Structure formats: C-alpha cells, structure tokens
Amino acid sequence: MPNSTVLVGLPGSGKTTVGRQLARRLGVLFVDSDQMIEQRIGTSIRHFFEMYGEDAFRDVEQIVIEELPALVEPAVISTGGGAILRSKNRLSLRKSGRVFYLKSSPEDLFHRLKHDTSRPLLQGGDPLAKLREMYEVRDPLYRETAHFTLETGRPSVAKLVNMIIMQLELSGDGV
Ligand code: S3P
C-alpha cells in the first residue's frame, strides 16, 4: 500500500514549502499536484482558469488526484487548496497515505498572500472575504480528510516539518 504523506490546506498555508523540506528530510520524492496539473494542461493554472473556468480545472484536478494512490514509491504530496472539494478526491487522498491539514486563519493567509498574483480565486474583489468564505466551506472538509491537523499560525517551516515527522513516528509509519 502506498504510504505517502499528503499535505492539505488553504492557499498560502505552506503546503509546498513544508512539503519540499519534509521530502528532503524523509529522503523521498516531492510531488506537487498543481505542478502535475500544469504539466498535463501545458499552461499555468491561472491561464487555464481564465480560458476554461473552474469546473474544467476541477475535472483535471480529479484525474491527477485519482493517480496519487498508485504512485510507485512513497512521496510527500502537496495538493492545491481545493483538492478536497470533491468527495472522490478526499477518498483518493486518504488512500495515498497519512494526510496532514496545515491549518491557518484567513487573516494570516491574507497577510501572506497580499502580493500574490498566481492564485486565480484570489484575484480582484475582496481577497480577505474570499479567504473567509473558503475557510467556512473548506475547514470541515480538510478536517474530514486529514488524519492530523497542525496549526500553522506561528511555527516556522522547520518546526512544522519536525512536528509532522514526530506524528509519523508516533503513528508507527516507520520514518
Ligand atoms: C486553488 C488553489 C491553488 C490551485 C488553484 C485552485 C483553490 O493551489 O490549485 O488555483 O481552489 O484553493 P494552492 O493551494 O497551492 O494555492
């Protein structure tokens, strides 16, 4: 059975940064589901959203996420913030291994993402209101999907990585 470590959470919660360092520490492959999507669509996610809209993006996202439980070797997998929206995806993520929810408040995320232009769902309008809305809808879904929840408000990336490694050891995942 694949025994990957999967990171879920809202945009800006540190999935990619933490994931890269965690993979290095564990000596396993790092996989970013958004990068896999971009390879498949041959363009940026932002551009794809503009051209085809969110539903089309979610369809590609589902195809990529369905493949994760079948990775040939265990990896650290960081996912896009909306990867938990479809119930099929939630199942695929749990099948892939241990799922960690990097939980941050919408306010913290807003400060981290103020100058970011790569995230289509946060462009224009009122990004803080959008993050609050996303949090309301998604927080229960992240919690439903995850085996563990880590508050990412204060801890540094290195601390988060250590916390994840500790949890994996405690849960007997042979790190
Ligand atoms: C999305 C988050 C993005 C990316 C896409 C949709 C979302 O990933 O998958 O723009 O719905 O929250 P990040 O969480 O890495 O920003």
Side-chain angles (χ1 to χ4, degrees), residues 153-169:
R154 303 247 174 93
S156 66
V157 171
K159 264 195 196 150
L160 282 166
V161 169
N162 285 336
M163 283 159 77
I164 294 173
I165 290 177
M166 224 163 65
Q167 282 290 0
L168 290 172
E169 283 170 353

Side-chain angles (χ1 to χ4, degrees), residues 8-15 18 102-104 109 112 119 152 160:
V8 300
L10 283 171
S13 57
K15 293 162 295 188
V18 171
L102 303 188
K103 180 172 178 172
S104 307
L109 295 171
R112 284 187 221 158
R119 291 171 165 97
T152 67
L160 282 166

Side-chain angles (χ1 to χ4, degrees), residues 87-100:
S87 62
K88 272 199 170 163
N89 291 355
R90 298 200 286 279
L91 207 69
S92 299
L93 294 174
R94 282 183 73 91
K95 270 200 214 153
S96 305
R98 295 279 156 196
V99 184
F100 288 80

Side-chain angles (χ1 to χ4, degrees), residues 27 48 51 103 120 125 133 165:
F48 190 84
M51 297 287 289
K103 180 172 178 172
E133 195 183 295
I165 290 177

Side-chain angles (χ1 to χ4, degrees), residues 9-13 15-16 32-34 37 45-46 49 54 57-58 61 78-83 85 113 118-122 134 138 142:
L10 283 171
S13 57
K15 293 162 295 188
T16 304
D32 181 334
S33 68
D34 278 345
I37 293 170
I45 288 177
R46 183 170 179 183
F49 254 75
E54 181 170 350
F57 170 76
R58 298 292 171 209
E61 184 175 54
S78 85
T79 57
L85 288 171
L113 295 176
S118 67
R119 291 171 165 97
L121 292 174
L122 298 174
M134 281 173 152
R138 297 180 181 184
Y142 293 129

